[in-house]
Amino acid sequence: MKNNMIEFIDISKWFGSFQVLKNINLQLAKGERTVVCGPSGSGKSTLIRLVNGLEEFEQGRLLVDGIELDGGSKSLEHIRTEVGMVFQQFNLFPHLTILQNLILAPLHVRKMTKSQATELAQFYLDKVRISDQAAKYPIELSGGQQQRVAIARALCMRPQIMLFDEPTSALDPEMVGEVLQVMVDLAKDGMTMVCVTHEMGFAREVADRIVFMDAGELVEIAKPKDFFESPKSPRLREFLSQIIN
């Protein structure tokens, strides 16, 4: 049986009086690729932001790689080292070259030598098919290229888990495909991935399971074939009819 990398146990969260997550119970196995989808405001991004402590929860328990996220700085520091995250915005340092952006965290957090960090950065720049851009600055790259750099930067920390929070939503349509292809390639490497996205073609191709959320609840969890071909809940059927037709 596969080990669980992430376990949400009766997780609830509020923003003021508004309950954004309601009694979430979900286990994600090591090496599993999970896509989280649902309408805007359903709690998708909040759910994955809990995993590396960007948001705090008020009730329940959350375990990441066997470590309970209890609000303590030690557990949070360890988890953030092991969990990479790619956001809608690229969040690259504009005054640093692409290579300098990539080696920063390995140097200061992983305590690598500069030659080790540089070798690793070049490996991942090659993996995201952008190695020829290493000496450029972020402003010189397209949005799709910058997002690929952001993915490579997260990978340079050698994380156990990669989180993607709608990584293509800020891109022009013609740039979406290049970023999704990089993510497809990563998925083939067996990385534990959790991706919030509206890209249903990606979900169908890559996901082991798809989680559909609405109004802060897990409405349906299924393998891609069942998710698309025989959805059980009326709410999911309505959602699919709106985004696929």
Side-chain angles (χ1 to χ4, degrees), residues 55 86 95 102 143 163 174 187 205:
E55 298 284 359
V86 178
H95 64 291
L102 265 64
L163 308 174
E174 65 269 21
E205 180 178 356

Side-chain angles (χ1 to χ4, degrees), residues 181-201:
Q181 187 55 54
V182 166
M183 293 169 63
V184 169
D185 294 343
L186 278 183
K188 291 174 182 172
D189 289 345
M191 169 84 65
T192 304
M193 293 172 60
V194 187
C195 181
V196 171
T197 185
H198 295 294
E199 301 290 343
M200 291 296 101

Side-chain angles (χ1 to χ4, degrees), residues 12 25 50 79 116 120 185 238:
S12 290
N25 285 282
L50 294 179
I79 285 166
Q116 287 173 329
L120 190 65
D185 294 343
E238 179 190 359

Side-chain angles (χ1 to χ4, degrees), residues 216-231:
E217 297 181 306
L218 303 184
V219 176
E220 193 160 335
I221 304 171
K223 292 184 179 298
K225 182 177 173 61
D226 296 331
F227 187 90
F228 290 107
E229 295 179 14
S230 53

Side-chain angles (χ1 to χ4, degrees), residues 21-73:
L21 295 174
K22 302 171 183 175
N23 292 35
I24 301 293
N25 285 282
L26 180 65
Q27 292 78 44
L28 307 178
K30 184 173 185 177
E32 185 175 14
R33 302 176 300 259
T34 307
V35 166
V36 184
C37 64
S40 296
S42 58
K44 311 180 298 292
S45 292
T46 302
L47 182 75
I48 68 165
R49 287 169 67 88
L50 294 179
V51 176
N52 62 354
L54 291 175
E55 298 284 359
E56 296 180 355
F57 53 93
E58 283 74 39
Q59 289 182 8
R61 298 175 64 207
L62 175 56
L63 286 83
V64 180
D65 195 18
I67 294 173
E68 183 151 2
L69 197 56
D70 55 10
S73 59

